[in-house]
Amino acid sequence: MALRSVRKARGCWSFIRALHKGPEAAQAPQVSEHTQLSWILTCMVRLPRLQHLHQWKAKIATQKHGGTVGLLTYPVLQAADILLYKSTHVPVGEDQVQHMELVQDLAQGFNKKYGEVFPVPRSILTSMKKVKSLRDPSAKMSKSDPDKLATVRITDSPEEIVQKFRKAVTDFTSEVTYEPARRAGVSNLVAIHAAVVGVPVEEALQHSAGLDTARYKLLVADAVIQKFAPIKSEIEKLKTDRGHLEKVLQVGSAKARELAHPVCQEVKKLVGLL
């Protein structure tokens, strides 16, 4: 898993930079303190707690031979990623709230045993807490979904985006309404439309006036294409300068280590490893 993470990180770094042109950041695999703190935190969490996490149960339900230990303990690595920098607020999707509860419990447990070291971070939820699958609106949109039509990617071509929205699951009622409990598919389209345009759901519904679901799908697809266009353009620009991306990673990793190392050393001393 760690090796795959490194490869994926290098492959998508231009994508991250295109989304956020802020200070240099680092790949977690290049800062060994992440895995060191993760191991210490793993020693503080009970096995049943990890086995009861929703995402773990969902993943192993789709795997013939069960999940790996790396997958089981991944939420603890997430906790280390957060606590290592003494973060106070973390933006997350609704599906990560349970993992954030684990982070909070680990911070509180460590503080209770060893003294006040970690702030207890709070979750920041956006107005659209979860993006649902275009093919199964009862499930979240996931990059690992085997159905390629279920997930819209920022790197998709306009033609691919239109195709995915054309094939999006709705129902036999042509009117566009927002009723998540009764009409999950079309409500998901409305939620996506509202999110990418940056308006409340009620205002997004006004844009659908006079449209049936077939035409509304094309309207949403066009809004998504327009939202992604400048990001895609920046990705392509960054991909042409690999040297710049490598330098950003090197500088970011150095800065991250400056922050992570003293915290990790403090933790090691408290638990008796130094």
Coordinates of all heavy atoms in Angstrom, one line a residue, residues 73-118:
T73 N -5.9 -0.7 9.0 CA -5.3 0.3 9.8 C -5.1 1.7 9.1 O -4.6 2.6 9.7 CB -3.9 -0.2 10.3 OG1 -3.1 -0.4 9.2 CG2 -4.1 -1.4 11.2
Y74 N -5.6 1.8 7.9 CA -5.5 3.1 7.2 C -6.1 4.3 7.9 O -5.5 5.3 7.9 CB -6.1 2.9 5.8 CG -5.8 4.1 4.9 CD1 -4.5 4.4 4.5 CD2 -6.8 5.0 4.5 CE1 -4.2 5.5 3.7 CE2 -6.5 6.1 3.7 CZ -5.2 6.4 3.3 OH -5.0 7.4 2.5
P75 N -7.2 4.1 8.6 CA -7.8 5.3 9.3 C -6.8 5.8 10.4 O -6.8 6.9 10.8 CB -9.1 4.7 9.9 CG -9.5 3.6 9.0 CD -8.2 3.0 8.6
V76 N -6.0 4.9 11.0 CA -5.0 5.3 12.0 C -3.9 6.1 11.3 O -3.4 7.1 11.9 CB -4.4 4.1 12.7 CG1 -3.5 4.5 13.9 CG2 -5.5 3.2 13.3
L77 N -3.5 5.7 10.1 CA -2.5 6.5 9.3 C -3.1 7.9 9.0 O -2.4 8.9 9.1 CB -2.2 5.8 8.0 CG -1.2 6.6 7.1 CD1 0.1 6.8 7.9 CD2 -0.9 5.8 5.9
Q78 N -4.4 7.9 8.7 CA -5.1 9.2 8.5 C -5.0 10.1 9.8 O -4.8 11.3 9.7 CB -6.5 9.0 8.1 CG -6.8 8.5 6.7 CD -8.2 8.3 6.4 OE1 -9.0 7.8 7.2 NE2 -8.7 8.8 5.3
A79 N -5.2 9.4 10.9 CA -5.1 10.1 12.2 C -3.7 10.7 12.4 O -3.6 11.8 12.9 CB -5.5 9.2 13.4
A80 N -2.7 9.9 12.1 CA -1.3 10.4 12.2 C -1.1 11.6 11.3 O -0.4 12.6 11.7 CB -0.4 9.3 11.9
D81 N -1.6 11.5 10.1 CA -1.4 12.6 9.1 C -2.0 13.9 9.7 O -1.4 15.0 9.5 CB -2.2 12.4 7.8 CG -1.6 11.2 7.1 OD1 -0.5 10.8 7.3 OD2 -2.3 10.7 6.2
I82 N -3.1 13.8 10.5 CA -3.7 15.0 11.1 C -3.0 15.5 12.3 O -2.7 16.6 12.5 CB -5.2 14.7 11.3 CG1 -5.9 14.5 10.0 CG2 -5.8 15.8 12.2 CD1 -7.3 13.8 10.2
L83 N -2.8 14.5 13.3 CA -2.3 14.9 14.6 C -0.8 15.3 14.5 O -0.4 16.1 15.4 CB -2.5 13.7 15.5 CG -3.9 13.3 15.8 CD1 -4.0 12.1 16.7 CD2 -4.7 14.5 16.4
L84 N -0.1 14.8 13.6 CA 1.4 15.1 13.5 C 1.6 16.6 13.3 O 2.6 17.1 13.8 CB 2.0 14.3 12.3 CG 3.5 14.3 12.2 CD1 4.2 13.8 13.4 CD2 3.9 13.5 10.9
Y85 N 0.7 17.3 12.7 CA 0.8 18.7 12.5 C -0.1 19.5 13.5 O -0.3 20.7 13.3 CB 0.5 19.1 11.1 CG 1.4 18.4 10.1 CD1 1.1 17.2 9.5 CD2 2.7 18.8 9.9 CE1 1.9 16.5 8.7 CE2 3.6 18.2 9.1 CZ 3.2 17.0 8.5 OH 4.1 16.3 7.7
K86 N -0.6 18.8 14.5 CA -1.4 19.4 15.6 C -2.5 20.3 14.9 O -2.8 21.4 15.3 CB -0.5 20.3 16.5 CG 0.5 19.4 17.3 CD 1.1 20.1 18.4 CE 2.0 19.2 19.2 NZ 2.6 19.8 20.4
S87 N -3.2 19.7 14.0 CA -4.3 20.3 13.3 C -5.5 20.5 14.2 O -5.7 19.7 15.1 CB -4.7 19.5 12.1 OG -3.6 19.2 11.2
T88 N -6.2 21.6 14.0 CA -7.3 21.9 14.8 C -8.7 21.8 14.1 O -9.7 21.5 14.7 CB -7.2 23.4 15.4 OG1 -7.2 24.3 14.3 CG2 -6.0 23.5 16.3
H89 N -8.6 22.0 12.8 CA -9.8 21.8 11.9 C -9.5 21.1 10.7 O -8.5 21.3 10.0 CB -10.4 23.2 11.6 CG -10.9 24.0 12.8 ND1 -10.0 24.6 13.6 CD2 -12.2 24.2 13.2 CE1 -10.7 25.2 14.6 NE2 -12.0 25.0 14.3
V90 N -10.4 20.1 10.3 CA -10.1 19.3 9.1 C -11.3 19.3 8.2 O -12.4 18.8 8.6 CB -9.7 17.9 9.5 CG1 -9.4 17.0 8.3 CG2 -8.6 17.9 10.5
P91 N -11.2 19.7 6.9 CA -12.3 19.6 6.0 C -12.5 18.2 5.5 O -11.5 17.6 5.1 CB -11.9 20.6 4.9 CG -10.4 20.6 4.9 CD -10.0 20.4 6.4
V92 N -13.7 17.6 5.7 CA -13.9 16.2 5.4 C -15.3 16.1 4.7 O -16.2 17.0 4.9 CB -13.9 15.3 6.6 CG1 -12.5 15.2 7.1 CG2 -14.9 15.7 7.7
G93 N -15.5 15.0 4.0 CA -16.8 14.7 3.5 C -17.6 13.9 4.6 O -17.0 13.4 5.6
E94 N -18.9 13.7 4.4 CA -19.7 13.1 5.4 C -19.2 11.6 5.6 O -19.3 11.1 6.7 CB -21.2 13.0 4.9 CG -22.2 12.6 5.9 CD -23.6 12.7 5.4 OE1 -23.8 12.1 4.3 OE2 -24.4 13.4 6.0
D95 N -18.7 11.0 4.6 CA -18.2 9.6 4.7 C -17.0 9.5 5.6 O -16.6 8.4 6.0 CB -18.0 9.0 3.4 CG -16.9 9.7 2.6 OD1 -17.0 11.0 2.5 OD2 -15.9 9.1 2.2
Q96 N -16.3 10.6 5.9 CA -15.1 10.6 6.7 C -15.4 11.0 8.2 O -14.4 11.0 9.0 CB -14.0 11.4 6.1 CG -13.5 10.9 4.8 CD -12.7 9.6 5.0 OE1 -12.0 9.4 6.0 NE2 -12.8 8.7 4.1
V97 N -16.6 11.3 8.5 CA -16.9 11.8 9.9 C -16.6 10.7 10.9 O -16.0 11.0 12.0 CB -18.4 12.2 10.0 CG1 -18.8 12.4 11.4 CG2 -18.7 13.4 9.2
Q98 N -16.9 9.4 10.6 CA -16.6 8.4 11.6 C -15.1 8.2 11.8 O -14.6 8.0 12.9 CB -17.2 7.0 11.1 CG -17.2 6.0 12.1 CD -17.8 4.7 11.6 OE1 -17.5 4.2 10.5 NE2 -18.6 4.0 12.4
H99 N -14.3 8.4 10.7 CA -12.8 8.4 10.8 C -12.3 9.5 11.7 O -11.4 9.4 12.5 CB -12.2 8.4 9.5 CG -12.3 7.1 8.7 ND1 -11.7 6.9 7.5 CD2 -12.9 6.0 9.0 CE1 -12.0 5.7 7.1 NE2 -12.8 5.1 8.0
M100 N -13.0 10.7 11.5 CA -12.6 11.9 12.3 C -12.9 11.6 13.8 O -12.2 12.1 14.7 CB -13.3 13.1 11.9 CG -12.6 13.8 10.7 SD -10.9 14.3 11.1 CE -11.2 15.5 12.4
E101 N -14.0 10.9 14.1 CA -14.3 10.5 15.5 C -13.2 9.7 16.1 O -12.8 9.8 17.3 CB -15.6 9.8 15.5 CG -16.8 10.7 15.2 CD -18.1 9.9 15.1 OE1 -18.1 8.7 15.1 OE2 -19.2 10.6 15.0
L102 N -12.6 8.8 15.2 CA -11.5 8.0 15.7 C -10.3 8.9 16.0 O -9.6 8.7 17.0 CB -11.1 6.9 14.6 CG -9.8 6.1 14.9 CD1 -10.0 5.2 16.1 CD2 -9.5 5.3 13.6
V103 N -10.0 9.9 15.1 CA -8.9 10.8 15.3 C -9.1 11.5 16.6 O -8.1 11.7 17.4 CB -8.8 11.8 14.2 CG1 -7.7 12.9 14.4 CG2 -8.6 11.1 12.8
Q104 N -10.3 12.0 16.9 CA -10.6 12.7 18.1 C -10.4 11.8 19.4 O -9.8 12.3 20.4 CB -12.0 13.3 18.1 CG -12.2 14.4 17.0 CD -13.7 14.6 16.7 OE1 -14.5 13.8 17.0 NE2 -13.9 15.7 16.0
D105 N -10.8 10.6 19.3 CA -10.7 9.7 20.4 C -9.2 9.4 20.6 O -8.8 9.2 21.8 CB -11.4 8.4 20.1 CG -13.0 8.6 20.2 OD1 -13.4 9.6 20.7 OD2 -13.7 7.7 19.7
L106 N -8.4 9.2 19.6 CA -7.0 8.9 19.7 C -6.3 10.1 20.4 O -5.4 9.9 21.2 CB -6.4 8.6 18.4 CG -6.7 7.2 17.8 CD1 -6.2 7.0 16.4 CD2 -6.0 6.1 18.7
A107 N -6.6 11.3 19.9 CA -6.0 12.5 20.5 C -6.4 12.6 22.0 O -5.5 12.9 22.8 CB -6.5 13.8 19.8
Q108 N -7.6 12.4 22.3 CA -8.0 12.5 23.7 C -7.4 11.4 24.6 O -7.0 11.6 25.7 CB -9.6 12.4 23.8 CG -10.3 13.7 23.2 CD -11.8 13.5 23.1 OE1 -12.3 12.4 23.0 NE2 -12.5 14.6 23.1
G109 N -7.4 10.2 24.0 CA -6.8 9.1 24.7 C -5.3 9.3 25.0 O -4.8 9.0 26.1
F110 N -4.6 9.8 24.0 CA -3.1 10.1 24.2 C -2.9 11.2 25.2 O -2.1 11.0 26.1 CB -2.5 10.5 22.8 CG -1.0 10.5 22.9 CD1 -0.3 9.4 22.5 CD2 -0.3 11.6 23.3 CE1 1.1 9.4 22.5 CE2 1.1 11.7 23.4 CZ 1.8 10.6 23.0
N111 N -3.7 12.2 25.1 CA -3.6 13.4 26.1 C -3.9 12.9 27.5 O -3.2 13.4 28.4 CB -4.6 14.5 25.7 CG -4.2 15.2 24.4 OD1 -3.0 15.0 23.9 ND2 -5.1 15.9 23.8
K112 N -4.9 12.1 27.6 CA -5.2 11.6 29.0 C -4.1 10.8 29.6 O -3.9 10.8 30.8 CB -6.5 10.7 28.9 CG -7.0 10.3 30.3 CD -8.3 9.5 30.1 CE -8.8 9.0 31.5 NZ -10.1 8.3 31.3
K113 N -3.4 10.0 28.8 CA -2.4 9.1 29.3 C -1.0 9.8 29.4 O -0.3 9.5 30.4 CB -2.2 7.9 28.3 CG -1.3 6.8 28.9 CD -1.4 5.6 28.0 CE -0.5 4.5 28.6 NZ -0.6 3.2 27.8
Y114 N -0.7 10.7 28.5 CA 0.6 11.3 28.5 C 0.7 12.8 28.7 O 1.8 13.4 28.7 CB 1.3 11.0 27.1 CG 1.5 9.5 26.9 CD1 0.7 8.8 26.0 CD2 2.5 8.8 27.6 CE1 0.9 7.4 25.8 CE2 2.7 7.4 27.4 CZ 1.8 6.8 26.5 OH 2.0 5.4 26.3
G115 N -0.5 13.5 28.8 CA -0.5 14.9 28.9 C -1.0 15.6 27.7 O -1.1 15.0 26.6
E116 N -1.3 16.9 27.8 CA -1.9 17.6 26.6 C -0.8 17.8 25.5 O 0.0 18.7 25.6 CB -2.4 19.0 27.1 CG -3.6 18.8 28.1 CD -4.8 18.2 27.4 OE1 -5.1 18.5 26.2 OE2 -5.5 17.4 28.1
V117 N -0.9 17.0 24.5 CA 0.0 17.1 23.4 C -0.7 17.5 22.1 O -0.3 18.4 21.4 CB 0.7 15.7 23.2 CG1 1.6 15.8 21.9 CG2 1.5 15.3 24.4
F118 N -1.8 16.8 21.9 CA -2.5 17.1 20.6 C -3.8 17.9 20.8 O -4.6 17.6 21.7 CB -2.9 15.7 19.9 CG -1.8 14.9 19.6 CD1 -1.6 13.6 20.2 CD2 -0.8 15.3 18.6 CE1 -0.5 12.8 19.8 CE2 0.2 14.5 18.3 CZ 0.4 13.2 18.9

